[in-house]
Amino acid sequence: MACTSVPPPAMPKQEVSSVLGPATRVIGRVSGQGDLRVDGQIEGGLVVTGSVALGSAARIDGDVEAESLEIAGLLHGDVHARSLIAIREGATVRGK
């Protein structure tokens, strides 16, 4: 029997409200409204009302709560998403 690979579902395309760049490091809890792209580091929790995209260089040490979540970087914490969670190839996710 042949095994075929099915590509992961695409995350909804939306304009990103905020970006945490690769040179940014936040210590503490981040919260906000709208969508967030993270390419830097967060040492603490993350709670947003919209979608979160973690780039391949992103590193989060803390729980994440969002509408949906796309992970390409490193996440060490629990995840609470109201809809889709996508874990991309090369990502690392460790719950607490």
Side-chain angles (χ1 to χ4, degrees):
M1 178 155 85
C3 180
T4 59
S5 177
V6 176
M11 293 292 290
K13 296 289 182 191
Q14 298 176 348
E15 281 191 37
V16 175
S17 301
S18 302
V19 176
L20 218 92
T24 305
R25 178 178 174 214
V26 177
I27 299 174
R29 181 179 164 147
V30 175
S31 63
Q33 295 184 0
D35 300 331
L36 175 65
R37 176 168 179 88
V38 179
D39 290 312
Q41 296 181 22
I42 298 174
E43 295 179 21
L46 172 61
V47 178
V48 296
T49 59
S51 299
V52 173
L54 304 181
S56 60
R59 179 184 176 109
I60 295 183
D61 186 7
D63 297 344
V64 175
E65 182 178 335
E67 179 64 34
S68 61
L69 179 62
E70 180 177 3
I71 305 167
L74 178 106
L75 171 62
H76 181 229
D78 294 336
V79 175
H80 305 278
R82 292 176 285 283
S83 63
L84 182 67
I85 298 173
I87 301 173
R88 301 297 178 203
E89 184 176 345
T92 301
V93 180
R94 291 187 203 131
K96 290 184 176 180

